[in-house]
Amino acid sequence: MNEVPAQSPAAWGQPNLRPDDAAPRDLSHHPVSAHDEAAGAAPRPAQMSTPDAPSLDFLTLIPRAYARRHLILSQGFDGTSEHLRISDTTDPLALFNMTVRLKRSIITRIEDAESLAAAIDAAYEAGRSASPVRDDPAVTIDGSEDVEHDLQQTLRALDRDLLVVEGKAPAVRLVDLILFEALTRAASDVHIQPLADTTLVRYRLDGAMHTVRRLPVALASAVVSRIKIMARLDVAERRAPQDGRAGITIGGSAGTHTGRTVDLRVSTLPSTYGERIVLRLLDPARSAQLLTLAGLGMPPKTESAFTDQLNRTSGIVLVTGPTGSGKTTTLYAALNWINAANAGTQARGCELNIMTVEDPVEYDLTGPGLAVSQTQVDPKKNVTFASGLRHILRQDPDVIMVGEIRDDETARMAVQASLTGHLVLSTLHTSDAASALPRLMDLGVEPFLVASSLSGVLAQRLVRRTHAACGGEGCPECFATGYKGRTGIFELLLIDHEIRELIAARTPALQLRSAARKAGMVTMRELGEALVTAGTTTMQELARAIEVHEEELA
């Protein structure tokens, strides 16, 4: 490997020295490491910058926190070398890292540390505001054939400088492996949680949290910075919450996982011991089988009655349950069913105009045979559920999905839309199907409007399946829980004539529930007990997932 001799800071103020000068200074003549050359790394395409202005490559590839810590700032790229402004305290190793990271030669000039620090902040702020930022910046993460071994190897490498490593930097590789492991285990969320003496990495698997590893406290900042860069968040802002998103593609030695694309939703929150990060993993590969109602675990009888409501040309169909109960996935499956049922001929495509307003758009519903226009809520641009629904109504829709009815304006507009010839699908946060009816009245909708507009309410929960491979005894594959995978349990309340009269009379939810049961509604508990009898889940899991109502104890 070609070694770059350490230079004295005094030589750094001579930007025009050539490699054959008596005092070798210019690190530019070692633009890539021996490893990069062996791997066939190609130099980055030349992107000329205005003299005295930082190059786009520098601002894109060098994290702000790193530039600030080592006091390094690009002064421009002349087509051959990157001109860098440094201080007299800048570490020579950090300069070598620049050649590796930028894959080009460098020429340096010493400046006052205080003014340089201010210039770094100004350059990155200007770069953030001037550069076009995609909503979902694409990042490629490297997979692994042996995640545990590679994680341990990466952790050992992290005692070196974060940018000096063969291949990817250790902090980058560590985040890659954490995300890859989470995806292979089918985690829905990844939590990076700093504590006083350690940093926890936790996965949400089948709705339950599992601590999978503990990282040294010193690594928290590097991991957080890497994730922020992936989501195009402000790395220097540590005192305010931030939200972002990114798209990742699995590369490297990932076997059958290579090429998978996954969307990330990233949330940061300052805590006592540092920034806490949660990443929501939206994996289309995992959700593909869930785009059918049967794939959700819906019994045939319930599915038949539910699709009868989806086949209507107007009215409101609600899906209720707590956060994380799979409501949005059920709505996506419902839209998929509506699209298929109205497919028409291949030339004409779907005969209906299907539109959504969501917060956020969790999965792209555009695909072969599935054409849905999706809009994401964005309060900064005054796009709320209510305003989005108002604009959708001007787009000649047939079917409208509203991600959630959470305020009186959205509730009233959804009712009006359903009464004017549109089928409206939406969600509410209620414990059971009957509770959705008084909830709409609490939001300011008149009882007679609820009675005339509502078609059906589907309440649901997700329960964990008994792990068949270990017979529910617990094994390493299921984290010793005895469960692996989840299925839905449902109750469908259909709005018939009797229920409409009870709604108009403001009948309490408990009495509405009793009337629905007399009319044939199968409750979530009854369906869950059937799953327990079949060995699909356990009574303990069922008790964790749902509430027991008074009439069910009788």
Side-chain angles (χ1 to χ4, degrees):
M1 178 175 177
N2 295 331
E3 294 291 332
V4 179
Q7 267 76 36
S8 66
W12 298 353
Q14 304 173 24
N16 297 319
L17 287 178
R18 299 183 304 276
D20 53 351
D21 287 331
R25 160 66 201 97
D26 194 353
L27 297 178
S28 58
H29 306 290
H30 300 274
V32 295
S33 67
H35 171 82
D36 292 327
E37 291 171 352
R44 292 182 58 83
Q47 295 191 19
M48 300 288 289
S49 59
T50 306
D52 295 327
S55 70
L56 178 60
D57 284 345
F58 182 93
L59 295 176
T60 302
L61 294 174
I62 307 302
R64 176 175 177 170
Y66 191 88
R68 196 71 156 69
R69 183 166 72 250
H70 293 290
L71 291 176
I72 304 173
L73 179 63
S74 169
Q75 196 176 9
F77 176 55
D78 62 10
T80 302
S81 302
E82 189 83 21
H83 293 255
L84 299 179
R85 302 162 63 181
I86 65 174
S87 82
D88 55 4
T89 62
T90 301
D91 189 342
L93 195 56
L95 291 175
F96 174 76
N97 292 340
M98 294 297 105
T99 69
V100 174
R101 188 66 165 165
L102 297 173
K103 292 184 173 65
R104 63 180 58 144
S105 56
I106 63 170
I107 297 174
T108 61
R109 187 181 77 186
I110 293 179
E111 294 190 6
D112 173 68
E114 185 174 345
S115 61
L116 181 54
I120 291 170
D121 290 339
Y124 278 89
E125 286 299 322
R128 269 182 92 232
S129 60
S131 300
V133 179
R134 293 175 52 190
D135 285 340
D136 55 343
V139 179
T140 299
I141 67 169
D142 288 340
S144 170
E145 296 177 350
D146 188 343
V147 176
E148 188 62 35
H149 172 268
D150 287 349
L151 274 166
Q152 295 304 321
Q153 188 177 54
T154 301
L155 289 171
R156 287 194 295 270
L158 273 161
D159 60 356
R160 300 158 63 182
D161 197 302
L162 293 180
L163 285 182
V164 182
V165 68
E166 294 182 351
K168 282 194 171 183
V172 176
R173 181 62 175 152
L174 177 60
V175 172
D176 284 4
L177 290 170
I178 289 172
L179 291 175
F180 180 71
E181 181 183 47
L183 288 168
T184 56
R185 288 189 175 273
S188 61
D189 302 87
V190 176
H191 292 235
I192 309 296
Q193 183 177 350
L195 300 178
D197 56 353
T198 189
T199 297
L200 302 182
V201 178
R202 310 177 75 197
Y203 299 160
R204 186 174 292 280
L205 300 167
D206 297 329
M209 294 295 294
H210 298 274
T211 298
V212 294
R213 60 190 73 256
R214 298 170 183 268
L215 303 178
V217 173
L219 299 186
S221 178
V223 170
V224 168
S225 294
R226 170 57 185 164
I227 294 172
K228 284 184 169 182
I229 289 169
M230 291 172 64
R232 299 288 178 90
L233 300 178
D234 187 348
V235 177
E237 179 56 77
R238 298 183 178 90
R239 295 175 294 180
Q242 297 185 69
D243 294 308
R245 57 188 293 184
I248 63 173
T249 300
I250 300 177
S253 303
T256 58
H257 299 284
T258 301
R260 277 173 63 185
T261 58
V262 179
D263 289 331
L264 303 180
R265 299 292 184 271
V266 181
S267 172
T268 74
L269 182 70
S271 69
T272 305
Y273 298 107
E275 284 185 283
R276 194 182 195 284
I277 285 193
V278 176
L279 301 99
R280 168 64 58 89
L281 310 180
L282 304 175
D283 185 1
R286 191 170 70 240
S287 65
Q289 71 274 20
L290 299 179
L291 284 180
T292 65
L293 296 170
L296 302 177
M298 188 176 291
K301 185 177 179 180
T302 304
E303 180 180 355
S304 176
F306 185 57
T307 54
D308 284 345
Q309 306 310 307
L310 299 180
N311 212 25
R312 295 168 60 98
T313 57
S314 64
I316 299 178
V317 177
L318 294 177
V319 179
T320 74
T323 299
S325 60
K327 299 185 298 297
T328 301
T329 303
T330 297
L331 288 183
Y332 282 170
L335 292 179
N336 189 42
W337 185 91
I338 292 171
N339 183 84
N342 297 273
T345 64
Q346 184 175 2
R348 298 205 322 267
C350 182
E351 296 176 348
L352 301 179
N353 180 18
I354 305 174
M355 305 186 71
T356 77
V357 55
E358 307 171 53
D359 183 23
V361 172
E362 294 192 9
Y363 294 106
D364 183 3
L365 294 180
T366 301
L370 184 60
V372 178
S373 297
Q374 296 172 272
T375 300
Q376 181 161 302
V377 166
D378 187 350
K380 293 180 180 178
K381 298 178 181 177
N382 198 33
V383 180
T384 62
F385 281 123
S387 66
L389 178 53
R390 185 181 304 113
H391 289 288
I392 282 176
L393 289 172
R394 300 169 186 163
Q395 295 281 316
D396 187 30
D398 295 297
V399 179
I400 305 169
M401 178 190 128
V402 181
E404 181 184 348
I405 296 177
R406 60 173 64 154
D407 56 58
D408 56 349
E409 184 181 6
T410 307
R412 287 194 297 268
M413 291 195 64
V415 167
Q416 291 300 325
S418 71
L419 293 174
T420 54
H422 305 88
L423 179 63
V424 178
L425 311 182
S426 192
T427 70
L428 273 178
H429 287 275
T430 62
S431 60
D432 61 7
S435 298
L437 310 178
R439 175 61 179 150
L440 285 175
M441 299 179 215
D442 292 342
L443 288 172
V445 182
E446 292 295 333
F448 74 92
L449 290 176
V450 175
S452 58
S453 63
L454 202 57
S455 303
V457 182
L458 181 76
Q460 70 177 71
R461 296 289 190 280
L462 294 175
V463 293
R464 291 179 291 178
R465 291 177 174 271
T466 302
H467 189 203
C470 65
E473 296 297 322
C475 63
E477 187 181 349
C478 65
F479 282 99
T481 63
Y483 300 103
K484 189 172 178 63
R486 290 189 289 179
T487 188
I489 53 175
F490 307 88
E491 66 181 32
L492 178 62
L493 191 159
L494 300 175
I495 311 300
D496 59 17
H497 179 70
E498 182 183 353
I499 298 293
R500 291 187 196 282
E501 288 186 343
L502 292 174
I503 295 172
R506 290 185 178 271
T507 303
L510 200 57
Q511 291 178 244
L512 288 167
R513 181 179 178 83
S514 297
R517 292 188 70 196
K518 290 177 182 177
M521 181 182 78
V522 179
T523 67
M524 288 185 287
R525 183 170 184 82
E526 290 168 340
L527 179 57
E529 288 173 344
L531 293 177
V532 172
T533 302
T536 303
T537 189
T538 65
M539 187 58 74
Q540 293 85 351
E541 175 64 9
L542 182 62
R544 182 193 68 84
I546 64 174
E547 300 175 4
V548 178
H549 291 268
E550 294 177 8
E551 75 276 14
E552 292 175 319
L553 296 174

mmCIF file of all heavy atoms in Angstrom, residues 209-244:
data_model
loop_
_atom_site.group_PDB
_atom_site.id
_atom_site.type_symbol
_atom_site.label_atom_id
_atom_site.label_comp_id
_atom_site.label_asym_id
_atom_site.label_seq_id
_atom_site.Cartn_x
_atom_site.Cartn_y
_atom_site.Cartn_z
ATOM 1 N N MET A 209 -41.061 -5.106 21.308
ATOM 2 C CA MET A 209 -39.694 -4.585 21.260
ATOM 3 C C MET A 209 -38.697 -5.628 21.754
ATOM 4 O O MET A 209 -38.948 -6.333 22.734
ATOM 5 C CB MET A 209 -39.588 -3.327 22.129
ATOM 6 C CG MET A 209 -40.407 -2.152 21.626
ATOM 7 S SD MET A 209 -39.826 -1.525 20.039
ATOM 8 C CE MET A 209 -38.212 -0.903 20.496
ATOM 9 N N HIS A 210 -37.545 -5.709 21.060
ATOM 10 C CA HIS A 210 -36.474 -6.620 21.454
ATOM 11 C C HIS A 210 -35.148 -5.870 21.388
ATOM 12 O O HIS A 210 -34.830 -5.267 20.353
ATOM 13 C CB HIS A 210 -36.409 -7.834 20.528
ATOM 14 C CG HIS A 210 -37.640 -8.677 20.535
ATOM 15 N ND1 HIS A 210 -37.858 -9.677 21.452
ATOM 16 C CD2 HIS A 210 -38.748 -8.646 19.748
ATOM 17 C CE1 HIS A 210 -39.022 -10.244 21.229
ATOM 18 N NE2 HIS A 210 -39.591 -9.636 20.199
ATOM 19 N N THR A 211 -34.382 -5.901 22.470
ATOM 20 C CA THR A 211 -33.035 -5.325 22.457
ATOM 21 C C THR A 211 -32.100 -6.366 21.857
ATOM 22 O O THR A 211 -31.922 -7.452 22.422
ATOM 23 C CB THR A 211 -32.583 -4.958 23.879
ATOM 24 O OG1 THR A 211 -33.472 -3.969 24.409
ATOM 25 C CG2 THR A 211 -31.162 -4.393 23.858
ATOM 26 N N VAL A 212 -31.509 -6.041 20.717
ATOM 27 C CA VAL A 212 -30.689 -7.030 20.000
ATOM 28 C C VAL A 212 -29.203 -6.830 20.226
ATOM 29 O O VAL A 212 -28.426 -7.769 20.078
ATOM 30 C CB VAL A 212 -30.997 -7.015 18.485
ATOM 31 C CG1 VAL A 212 -32.411 -7.486 18.231
ATOM 32 C CG2 VAL A 212 -30.790 -5.625 17.895
ATOM 33 N N ARG A 213 -28.785 -5.615 20.586
ATOM 34 C CA ARG A 213 -27.380 -5.404 20.901
ATOM 35 C C ARG A 213 -27.186 -4.089 21.641
ATOM 36 O O ARG A 213 -28.061 -3.222 21.633
ATOM 37 C CB ARG A 213 -26.497 -5.464 19.651
ATOM 38 C CG ARG A 213 -26.791 -4.470 18.577
ATOM 39 C CD ARG A 213 -26.009 -4.820 17.320
ATOM 40 N NE ARG A 213 -26.561 -5.992 16.660
ATOM 41 C CZ ARG A 213 -26.012 -7.202 16.717
ATOM 42 N NH1 ARG A 213 -24.904 -7.414 17.392
ATOM 43 N NH2 ARG A 213 -26.573 -8.218 16.083
ATOM 44 N N ARG A 214 -26.029 -3.976 22.262
ATOM 45 C CA ARG A 214 -25.657 -2.770 22.992
ATOM 46 C C ARG A 214 -24.367 -2.235 22.405
ATOM 47 O O ARG A 214 -23.391 -2.986 22.261
ATOM 48 C CB ARG A 214 -25.482 -3.062 24.491
ATOM 49 C CG ARG A 214 -26.761 -3.562 25.161
ATOM 50 C CD ARG A 214 -26.509 -4.066 26.570
ATOM 51 N NE ARG A 214 -27.724 -4.594 27.160
ATOM 52 C CZ ARG A 214 -28.572 -3.877 27.887
ATOM 53 N NH1 ARG A 214 -28.298 -2.590 28.132
ATOM 54 N NH2 ARG A 214 -29.663 -4.427 28.377
ATOM 55 N N LEU A 215 -24.357 -0.953 22.081
ATOM 56 C CA LEU A 215 -23.183 -0.325 21.483
ATOM 57 C C LEU A 215 -22.502 0.571 22.511
ATOM 58 O O LEU A 215 -23.166 1.111 23.407
ATOM 59 C CB LEU A 215 -23.591 0.527 20.281
ATOM 60 C CG LEU A 215 -24.350 -0.170 19.146
ATOM 61 C CD1 LEU A 215 -24.710 0.844 18.076
ATOM 62 C CD2 LEU A 215 -23.527 -1.305 18.555
ATOM 63 N N PRO A 216 -21.192 0.747 22.400
ATOM 64 C CA PRO A 216 -20.512 1.693 23.285
ATOM 65 C C PRO A 216 -21.095 3.095 23.132
ATOM 66 O O PRO A 216 -21.498 3.498 22.044
ATOM 67 C CB PRO A 216 -19.052 1.640 22.803
ATOM 68 C CG PRO A 216 -18.928 0.327 22.108
ATOM 69 C CD PRO A 216 -20.257 0.051 21.496
ATOM 70 N N VAL A 217 -21.118 3.840 24.229
ATOM 71 C CA VAL A 217 -21.688 5.189 24.215
ATOM 72 C C VAL A 217 -21.008 6.059 23.171
ATOM 73 O O VAL A 217 -21.645 6.886 22.512
ATOM 74 C CB VAL A 217 -21.557 5.840 25.612
ATOM 75 C CG1 VAL A 217 -21.999 7.302 25.573
ATOM 76 C CG2 VAL A 217 -22.388 5.081 26.627
ATOM 77 N N ALA A 218 -19.704 5.863 22.986
ATOM 78 C CA ALA A 218 -18.945 6.709 22.056
ATOM 79 C C ALA A 218 -19.421 6.573 20.619
ATOM 80 O O ALA A 218 -19.167 7.457 19.791
ATOM 81 C CB ALA A 218 -17.460 6.363 22.139
ATOM 82 N N LEU A 219 -20.115 5.473 20.284
ATOM 83 C CA LEU A 219 -20.537 5.260 18.906
ATOM 84 C C LEU A 219 -21.859 5.949 18.578
ATOM 85 O O LEU A 219 -22.221 6.069 17.410
ATOM 86 C CB LEU A 219 -20.692 3.763 18.620
ATOM 87 C CG LEU A 219 -19.440 2.903 18.770
ATOM 88 C CD1 LEU A 219 -19.748 1.492 18.313
ATOM 89 C CD2 LEU A 219 -18.284 3.487 17.965
ATOM 90 N N ALA A 220 -22.590 6.364 19.602
ATOM 91 C CA ALA A 220 -23.937 6.900 19.371
ATOM 92 C C ALA A 220 -23.916 8.070 18.402
ATOM 93 O O ALA A 220 -24.727 8.140 17.473
ATOM 94 C CB ALA A 220 -24.575 7.310 20.695
ATOM 95 N N SER A 221 -22.994 8.998 18.603
ATOM 96 C CA SER A 221 -22.946 10.198 17.761
ATOM 97 C C SER A 221 -22.683 9.845 16.305
ATOM 98 O O SER A 221 -23.303 10.393 15.388
ATOM 99 C CB SER A 221 -21.874 11.158 18.270
ATOM 100 O OG SER A 221 -21.777 12.291 17.444
ATOM 101 N N ALA A 222 -21.758 8.896 16.069
ATOM 102 C CA ALA A 222 -21.429 8.507 14.696
ATOM 103 C C ALA A 222 -22.608 7.829 14.016
ATOM 104 O O ALA A 222 -22.902 8.081 12.848
ATOM 105 C CB ALA A 222 -20.212 7.586 14.692
ATOM 106 N N VAL A 223 -23.301 6.967 14.748
ATOM 107 C CA VAL A 223 -24.453 6.264 14.185
ATOM 108 C C VAL A 223 -25.570 7.244 13.863
ATOM 109 O O VAL A 223 -26.172 7.201 12.782
ATOM 110 C CB VAL A 223 -24.946 5.172 15.156
ATOM 111 C CG1 VAL A 223 -26.283 4.602 14.704
ATOM 112 C CG2 VAL A 223 -23.909 4.057 15.282
ATOM 113 N N VAL A 224 -25.845 8.151 14.799
ATOM 114 C CA VAL A 224 -26.896 9.149 14.584
ATOM 115 C C VAL A 224 -26.554 10.031 13.386
ATOM 116 O O VAL A 224 -27.416 10.317 12.545
ATOM 117 C CB VAL A 224 -27.098 10.003 15.853
ATOM 118 C CG1 VAL A 224 -27.974 11.221 15.555
ATOM 119 C CG2 VAL A 224 -27.727 9.168 16.958
ATOM 120 N N SER A 225 -25.307 10.459 13.289
ATOM 121 C CA SER A 225 -24.901 11.326 12.171
ATOM 122 C C SER A 225 -25.078 10.615 10.838
ATOM 123 O O SER A 225 -25.550 11.207 9.864
ATOM 124 C CB SER A 225 -23.436 11.764 12.339
ATOM 125 O OG SER A 225 -23.295 12.593 13.463
ATOM 126 N N ARG A 226 -24.708 9.341 10.785
ATOM 127 C CA ARG A 226 -24.850 8.588 9.534
ATOM 128 C C ARG A 226 -26.314 8.505 9.116
ATOM 129 O O ARG A 226 -26.654 8.709 7.947
ATOM 130 C CB ARG A 226 -24.250 7.190 9.707
ATOM 131 C CG ARG A 226 -24.569 6.240 8.552
ATOM 132 C CD ARG A 226 -24.105 6.797 7.207
ATOM 133 N NE ARG A 226 -24.513 5.947 6.104
ATOM 134 C CZ ARG A 226 -24.509 6.334 4.828
ATOM 135 N NH1 ARG A 226 -24.108 7.555 4.508
ATOM 136 N NH2 ARG A 226 -24.887 5.509 3.883
ATOM 137 N N ILE A 227 -27.188 8.200 10.073
ATOM 138 C CA ILE A 227 -28.611 8.078 9.746
ATOM 139 C C ILE A 227 -29.165 9.431 9.304
ATOM 140 O O ILE A 227 -29.972 9.503 8.367
ATOM 141 C CB ILE A 227 -29.383 7.523 10.950
ATOM 142 C CG1 ILE A 227 -28.936 6.082 11.231
ATOM 143 C CG2 ILE A 227 -30.890 7.566 10.704
ATOM 144 C CD1 ILE A 227 -29.485 5.505 12.513
ATOM 145 N N LYS A 228 -28.728 10.505 9.942
ATOM 146 C CA LYS A 228 -29.186 11.843 9.540
ATOM 147 C C LYS A 228 -28.754 12.166 8.117
ATOM 148 O O LYS A 228 -29.514 12.767 7.343
ATOM 149 C CB LYS A 228 -28.640 12.902 10.501
ATOM 150 C CG LYS A 228 -29.347 12.972 11.835
ATOM 151 C CD LYS A 228 -28.767 14.115 12.646
ATOM 152 C CE LYS A 228 -29.580 14.408 13.870
ATOM 153 N NZ LYS A 228 -29.024 15.552 14.625
ATOM 154 N N ILE A 229 -27.532 11.782 7.774
ATOM 155 C CA ILE A 229 -27.053 12.036 6.414
ATOM 156 C C ILE A 229 -27.892 11.263 5.410
ATOM 157 O O ILE A 229 -28.271 11.779 4.353
ATOM 158 C CB ILE A 229 -25.560 11.651 6.305
ATOM 159 C CG1 ILE A 229 -24.700 12.657 7.083
ATOM 160 C CG2 ILE A 229 -25.116 11.605 4.846
ATOM 161 C CD1 ILE A 229 -23.262 12.224 7.248
ATOM 162 N N MET A 230 -28.231 10.021 5.734
ATOM 163 C CA MET A 230 -29.058 9.211 4.832
ATOM 164 C C MET A 230 -30.408 9.874 4.581
ATOM 165 O O MET A 230 -30.931 9.839 3.472
ATOM 166 C CB MET A 230 -29.273 7.819 5.434
ATOM 167 C CG MET A 230 -28.035 6.952 5.481
ATOM 168 S SD MET A 230 -28.300 5.422 6.414
ATOM 169 C CE MET A 230 -29.525 4.616 5.391
ATOM 170 N N ALA A 231 -30.970 10.488 5.626
ATOM 171 C CA ALA A 231 -32.301 11.091 5.510
ATOM 172 C C ALA A 231 -32.250 12.576 5.180
ATOM 173 O O ALA A 231 -33.288 13.242 5.199
ATOM 174 C CB ALA A 231 -33.070 10.888 6.813
ATOM 175 N N ARG A 232 -31.057 13.093 4.880
ATOM 176 C CA ARG A 232 -30.870 14.500 4.542
ATOM 177 C C ARG A 232 -31.371 15.429 5.656
ATOM 178 O O ARG A 232 -32.034 16.440 5.403
ATOM 179 C CB ARG A 232 -31.580 14.845 3.226
ATOM 180 C CG ARG A 232 -31.072 14.068 2.028
ATOM 181 C CD ARG A 232 -29.694 14.536 1.590
ATOM 182 N NE ARG A 232 -29.190 13.753 0.472
ATOM 183 C CZ ARG A 232 -29.394 14.057 -0.803
ATOM 184 N NH1 ARG A 232 -30.110 15.112 -1.109
ATOM 185 N NH2 ARG A 232 -28.885 13.318 -1.762
ATOM 186 N N LEU A 233 -31.063 15.067 6.895
ATOM 187 C CA LEU A 233 -31.397 15.919 8.025
ATOM 188 C C LEU A 233 -30.188 16.761 8.398
ATOM 189 O O LEU A 233 -29.072 16.517 7.941
ATOM 190 C CB LEU A 233 -31.828 15.060 9.222
ATOM 191 C CG LEU A 233 -33.046 14.155 8.998
ATOM 192 C CD1 LEU A 233 -33.322 13.334 10.256
ATOM 193 C CD2 LEU A 233 -34.269 14.984 8.622
ATOM 194 N N ASP A 234 -30.392 17.768 9.241
ATOM 195 C CA ASP A 234 -29.319 18.653 9.669
ATOM 196 C C ASP A 234 -28.492 17.944 10.731
ATOM 197 O O ASP A 234 -28.945 17.735 11.863
ATOM 198 C CB ASP A 234 -29.910 19.947 10.232
ATOM 199 C CG ASP A 234 -28.836 20.995 10.536
ATOM 200 O OD1 ASP A 234 -27.639 20.635 10.535
ATOM 201 O OD2 ASP A 234 -29.196 22.154 10.776
ATOM 202 N N VAL A 235 -27.266 17.562 10.371
ATOM 203 C CA VAL A 235 -26.408 16.815 11.284
ATOM 204 C C VAL A 235 -26.037 17.657 12.504
ATOM 205 O O VAL A 235 -25.914 17.132 13.616
ATOM 206 C CB VAL A 235 -25.130 16.337 10.554
ATOM 207 C CG1 VAL A 235 -24.189 15.628 11.519
ATOM 208 C CG2 VAL A 235 -25.496 15.421 9.401
ATOM 209 N N ALA A 236 -25.894 18.958 12.326
ATOM 210 C CA ALA A 236 -25.448 19.817 13.421
ATOM 211 C C ALA A 236 -26.561 20.135 14.416
ATOM 212 O O ALA A 236 -26.285 20.556 15.534
ATOM 213 C CB ALA A 236 -24.881 21.120 12.859
ATOM 214 N N GLU A 237 -27.820 19.933 14.029
ATOM 215 C CA GLU A 237 -28.940 20.244 14.921
ATOM 216 C C GLU A 237 -29.217 19.054 15.837
ATOM 217 O O GLU A 237 -29.684 18.011 15.407
ATOM 218 C CB GLU A 237 -30.195 20.564 14.094
ATOM 219 C CG GLU A 237 -31.429 20.868 14.936
ATOM 220 C CD GLU A 237 -31.201 21.985 15.917
ATOM 221 O OE1 GLU A 237 -31.214 23.159 15.485
ATOM 222 O OE2 GLU A 237 -30.996 21.681 17.113
ATOM 223 N N ARG A 238 -28.892 19.240 17.119
ATOM 224 C CA ARG A 238 -29.063 18.147 18.074
ATOM 225 C C ARG A 238 -30.085 18.464 19.159
ATOM 226 O O ARG A 238 -30.373 17.624 20.000
ATOM 227 C CB ARG A 238 -27.723 17.819 18.748
ATOM 228 C CG ARG A 238 -26.644 17.347 17.784
ATOM 229 C CD ARG A 238 -25.376 16.965 18.530
ATOM 230 N NE ARG A 238 -24.362 16.469 17.625
ATOM 231 C CZ ARG A 238 -23.457 17.227 17.039
ATOM 232 N NH1 ARG A 238 -23.456 18.532 17.275
ATOM 233 N NH2 ARG A 238 -22.558 16.709 16.217
ATOM 234 N N ARG A 239 -30.610 19.682 19.155
ATOM 235 C CA ARG A 239 -31.504 20.093 20.247
ATOM 236 C C ARG A 239 -32.962 20.164 19.838
ATOM 237 O O ARG A 239 -33.814 20.475 20.658
ATOM 238 C CB ARG A 239 -31.053 21.458 20.784
ATOM 239 C CG ARG A 239 -29.679 21.425 21.443
ATOM 240 C CD ARG A 239 -29.223 22.798 21.848
ATOM 241 N NE ARG A 239 -28.988 23.659 20.684
ATOM 242 C CZ ARG A 239 -28.587 24.913 20.740
ATOM 243 N NH1 ARG A 239 -28.392 25.480 21.929
ATOM 244 N NH2 ARG A 239 -28.393 25.615 19.651
ATOM 245 N N ALA A 240 -33.268 19.879 18.591
ATOM 246 C CA ALA A 240 -34.650 19.926 18.119
ATOM 247 C C ALA A 240 -34.987 18.628 17.390
ATOM 248 O O ALA A 240 -34.135 18.052 16.710
ATOM 249 C CB ALA A 240 -34.851 21.122 17.187
ATOM 250 N N PRO A 241 -36.216 18.156 17.519
ATOM 251 C CA PRO A 241 -36.624 16.948 16.791
ATOM 252 C C PRO A 241 -36.598 17.194 15.284
ATOM 253 O O PRO A 241 -36.829 18.311 14.819
ATOM 254 C CB PRO A 241 -38.059 16.709 17.277
ATOM 255 C CG PRO A 241 -38.202 17.503 18.527
ATOM 256 C CD PRO A 241 -37.290 18.681 18.371
ATOM 257 N N GLN A 242 -36.324 16.146 14.528
ATOM 258 C CA GLN A 242 -36.339 16.236 13.063
ATOM 259 C C GLN A 242 -37.011 14.981 12.493
ATOM 260 O O GLN A 242 -36.963 13.914 13.097
ATOM 261 C CB GLN A 242 -34.919 16.333 12.497
ATOM 262 C CG GLN A 242 -34.146 17.565 12.923
ATOM 263 C CD GLN A 242 -32.801 17.656 12.219
ATOM 264 O OE1 GLN A 242 -32.723 17.887 11.009
ATOM 265 N NE2 GLN A 242 -31.723 17.468 12.966
ATOM 266 N N ASP A 243 -37.626 15.144 11.340
ATOM 267 C CA ASP A 243 -38.239 14.023 10.633
ATOM 268 C C ASP A 243 -37.733 14.012 9.202
ATOM 269 O O ASP A 243 -37.579 15.071 8.584
ATOM 270 C CB ASP A 243 -39.766 14.137 10.624
ATOM 271 C CG ASP A 243 -40.356 14.016 12.016
ATOM 272 O OD1 ASP A 243 -40.026 13.047 12.705
ATOM 273 O OD2 ASP A 243 -41.137 14.900 12.408
ATOM 274 N N GLY A 244 -37.491 12.833 8.683
ATOM 275 C CA GLY A 244 -37.030 12.713 7.303
ATOM 276 C C GLY A 244 -37.361 11.353 6.741
ATOM 277 O O GLY A 244 -37.998 10.524 7.389
#
